[in-house]
Amino acid sequence: MNTVAAKRILETALICTSQPLPLRDMRVLFDDRLGLDTLKVLLRELQQDWAQRGVELVNVASGWRFQSRPEMREFLDRLHPEKPPRYTRATLETLAIIAYRQPVTRGDIEDVRGVTVNSLLIKQLEDRGWIEVIGHRETVGRPALFATTKHFLDDLGLESLDQLPLLDTPEQRTDVMDTLQSRESGVQTELDMPPSLEESVTNEGVALQAIATGDLSTDGELFFLNRTES
């Protein structure tokens, strides 16, 4: 198979899939006839092919996907003008603590925040798919250890936790939480989004994206190009 045909197949699969596409699934497209190095070369070429367009090809925790560029947010917002409900400041503080200090127990979170953590708050983050229990601490009561998920990284547009910026001072942490609280935009949203996903969209995803990129001034919303064919 020549390079042009392989890129065409890969591009089609990336556009039509509803989730980020990992390299192992890309190999299935070609009956394992293309190696990982070849696939990576093709992906880099596709990134260059789309460099001057309104969407871009990015690598996130779960794989590769097409998504809109932040500067397109102003126009795509017109497709979803209604603003969804916001999470509370306590929810965002808890999520930030888990993201930066994971794995942590509920007690660890309470020590940092200085207040009791509501169980419903933890459940809300679990239901959103942003955190999960990855084990238990070997101490009295064996409390659950919480960590963020690949879905959390996908929503931020990150490949790994290493891409989260360092927050070295109390002032930086305060600035981050103030930014989270002030956001009014929606999290990354899929075009042709099914109702079940639309109900879960919240403004904090963009705020968390601002943390992840270190650009706390951004209010850009990312719209995924990916969609499945009916």
Side-chain angles (χ1 to χ4, degrees), residues 51-62:
Q52 303 302 318
R53 303 184 187 181
V55 295
E56 59 184 344
L57 179 60
V58 298
N59 188 15
V60 294
S62 298

Side-chain angles (χ1 to χ4, degrees), residues 45-229:
E45 290 182 3
L46 280 174
Q47 284 182 314
Q48 295 173 358
D49 292 344
W50 288 74
Q52 303 302 318
R53 303 184 187 181
V55 295
E56 59 184 344
L57 179 60
V58 298
N59 188 15
V60 294
S62 298
W64 291 75
R65 73 180 180 210
F66 278 109
Q67 65 185 34
S68 72
R69 297 183 185 277
E71 59 267 27
M72 296 294 104
R73 182 268 172 106
E74 174 187 352
F75 308 99
L76 296 177
D77 246 1
R78 298 168 188 173
L79 298 176
H80 303 277
E82 294 184 5
K83 300 302 180 184
R86 301 177 63 194
Y87 286 141
T88 65
R89 183 183 182 91
T91 302
L92 300 182
E93 288 177 347
T94 299
L95 180 58
I97 291 168
I98 295 173
Y100 279 93
R101 298 187 176 222
Q102 59 188 303
V104 295
T105 66
R106 181 170 169 175
D108 296 331
I109 299 169
E110 291 175 345
D111 288 342
V112 175
R113 296 193 62 235
V115 296
T116 302
V117 175
N118 191 315
S119 297
L120 292 178
L121 185 154
I122 296 294
K123 186 177 186 303
Q124 186 178 31
L125 292 174
E126 289 180 312
D127 290 345
R128 183 65 180 83
W130 281 344
I131 67 170
E132 63 182 351
V133 175
I134 62 168
H136 294 81
R137 180 170 292 168
E138 295 301 327
T139 186
V140 178
R142 299 189 74 247
L145 288 167
F146 295 98
T148 53
T149 64
K150 281 189 176 182
H151 184 65
F152 168 78
L153 292 173
D154 289 347
D155 278 355
L156 268 64
L158 300 179
E159 185 178 356
S160 70
L161 289 168
D162 293 339
Q163 294 176 327
L164 286 170
L166 296 178
L167 300 180
D168 296 326
T169 67
E171 290 76 15
Q172 286 175 311
R173 290 189 284 272
T174 299
D175 289 343
V176 165
M177 296 318 304
D178 287 344
T179 301
L180 292 176
Q181 183 67 12
S182 66
R183 293 300 173 187
E184 297 180 354
S185 302
V187 73
Q188 301 169 340
T189 308
E190 289 186 332
L191 295 178
D192 303 329
M193 179 169 32
S196 60
L197 288 178
E198 190 168 9
E199 292 171 0
S200 69
V201 173
T202 61
N203 68 306
E204 285 70 32
V206 169
L208 288 169
Q209 181 196 352
I211 294 179
T213 60
D215 180 8
L216 297 182
S217 65
T218 183
D219 61 356
E221 178 177 6
L222 299 181
F223 286 80
F224 299 162
L225 179 64
N226 298 344
R227 59 194 183 278
T228 54
E229 300 297 331

Side-chain angles (χ1 to χ4, degrees), residues 4-18:
V4 174
K7 283 174 59 177
R8 184 181 182 189
I9 293 170
L10 193 56
E11 182 180 55
T12 301
L14 286 163
I15 290 175
C16 293
T17 186
S18 60

